Amino acid sequence: YPAIEGAVADDVVNAALAADAETGLEVWRREAESWGSVDGMASDYLVSYEVTFLDERYVSVLVSGSAYLSGAASPLGLASSATFDHTTGRRLGIDDLFDPAVDWRPAVIAEIRAGLSAQFGDLVEIDSLDLTEGTDLSVFNLTADGVRFTFAEGVIGPGALGTPSVEVRRERLAGVVSPASPLGGAAGG
């Protein structure tokens, strides 16, 4: 997992990233042990980390990978994320990005739908995806241009979609972001 150096709260951020990595591995270990082994086939857990944003105040990390249990038809695509204010060590949640006085979810879901439609075209019936105001948006990452939403396999549609990801540009969210958030504040331009 990545580690940051030289930030005021780098120990707090690094400890949280380490804990997330260990928790993910431990969950997979428990699943693999309870699943057992089929004809000596090995189970497998593979993750990679991408720092999608880093500036003097914020760091955002995307964790993606797969988990395979011995004898399963295919691996399961995984996705998680962590975004921190590394001056304080505070982990940001999705609600920290948006204005609490505004019903921001419909606007964000509409932008995600538009992005997925542009990405998949006629290959996927976007209206059939499970994208509602209640959709879990907790896997998000800051980027230089806005925010990227990623969905673990099977979260919004069939497993054949894999782990779909769509970036929503900052200017498309102008009416719903919190001015104090990294999307609306100084980092947001």
Side-chain angles (χ1 to χ4, degrees):
Y1 56 89
I4 62 170
E5 293 180 12
V8 173
D10 58 2
D11 288 344
V12 174
V13 172
N14 292 337
L17 291 170
D20 286 356
E22 286 300 320
T23 299
L25 184 57
E26 184 55 36
V27 167
W28 172 80
R29 280 185 184 136
R30 282 196 308 269
E31 288 289 321
E33 287 171 1
S34 69
W35 181 270
S37 179
V38 176
D39 294 328
M41 295 174 67
S43 292
D44 194 28
Y45 179 76
L46 192 59
V47 294
S48 62
Y49 298 86
E50 176 189 357
V51 176
T52 63
F53 188 82
L54 177 64
D55 71 1
E56 63 280 347
R57 182 160 181 196
Y58 298 102
V59 60
S60 195
V61 178
L62 174 66
V63 183
S64 57
S66 64
Y68 176 74
L69 296 175
S70 175
S74 62
L76 178 65
L78 307 173
S80 65
S81 64
T83 299
F84 295 92
D85 177 334
H86 60 78
T87 64
T88 65
R90 183 173 172 272
R91 188 177 204 143
L92 277 66
I94 189 67
D95 292 325
D96 293 319
L97 301 182
F98 299 101
D99 187 341
V102 174
D103 187 12
W104 55 267
R105 282 187 170 271
V108 171
I109 293 296
E111 290 300 325
I112 291 171
R113 280 182 180 281
L116 290 172
S117 182
Q119 181 179 12
F120 290 116
D122 293 337
L123 296 175
V124 175
E125 177 58 47
I126 299 302
D127 289 337
S128 71
L129 298 180
D130 188 16
L131 285 169
T132 66
E133 289 185 37
T135 299
D136 181 4
L137 300 176
S138 63
V139 182
F140 71 91
N141 291 91
L142 300 177
T143 67
D145 296 321
V147 60
R148 181 191 314 168
F149 295 95
T150 305
F151 302 93
E153 185 175 326
V155 168
I156 62 168
L161 281 179
T163 55
S165 181
V166 63
E167 184 169 349
V168 179
R169 296 183 62 84
R170 177 179 287 110
E171 60 269 13
R172 303 290 301 171
L173 300 170
V176 296
V177 298
S178 169
S181 85
L183 295 175

